[in-house]
Amino acid sequence: QVQLVESGGGLVQAGGSLSLSCVASGRTFSSYAMGWFRQAPGKEREFVAAISWRGRSTYYAQSVKGRFTISRDNAKNTVYLQMNSLKPDDTAVYYCAAGVLAGQEAKYDYWGQGTQVTVSS
């Protein structure tokens, strides 16, 4: 069992940056790939980024490539999402998830509660 708690969301102006963190409980964190997803109001949840269990492979949605960076520190049971050059379209609740390295929600077994990111224009 893995429990995930996100933090770092908030309100930022367009062009600004935010760094999200997701801390996992449980001793098996390092065996899971980790992903970030987001859900904007009135929209379905979508894939943002994923990282392999060792951190050697990363994948990004086209919409965030070059602006967002996913990383992890297995010693701290934490995965990060550094978000730069934020746009109003990035406004959403951001979720971290643990599972198999993939862009599909169904591949992830554990989910956090989410953290709100709001980008003002």
Side-chain angles (χ1 to χ4, degrees):
Q1 189 80 4
V2 177
Q3 293 183 330
L4 305 171
V5 179
E6 304 95 335
S7 63
L11 174 64
V12 64
Q13 288 188 330
S17 298
L18 277 177
S19 181
L20 305 183
S21 299
C22 173
V23 179
S25 63
R27 294 177 292 177
T28 59
F29 171 77
S30 61
S31 65
Y32 288 96
M34 298 296 296
W36 285 97
F37 290 76
R38 67 187 182 185
Q39 187 168 21
K43 296 186 178 181
E44 294 186 351
R45 190 155 54 185
E46 64 176 4
F47 169 75
V48 175
I51 188 167
S52 60
W53 68 279
R54 285 186 179 178
R56 292 179 178 177
S57 298
T58 57
Y59 299 95
Y60 297 92
Q62 192 63 38
S63 59
V64 306
K65 196 172 293 185
R67 300 188 297 122
F68 290 11
T69 302
I70 188 171
S71 61
R72 67 189 296 165
D73 185 339
N74 287 345
K76 296 182 178 180
N77 280 10
T78 303
V79 62
Y80 306 95
L81 185 68
Q82 177 65 41
M83 305 185 294
N84 299 327
S85 302
L86 283 161
K87 306 174 182 179
D89 284 349
D90 295 318
T91 295
V93 177
Y94 284 71
Y95 300 88
C96 71
V100 175
L101 187 64
Q104 297 82 29
E105 288 187 48
K107 297 294 186 181
Y108 292 84
D109 299 315
Y110 303 102
W111 292 81
Q113 297 285 349
T115 185
Q116 176 71 46
V117 171
T118 303
V119 184
S120 62
S121 57

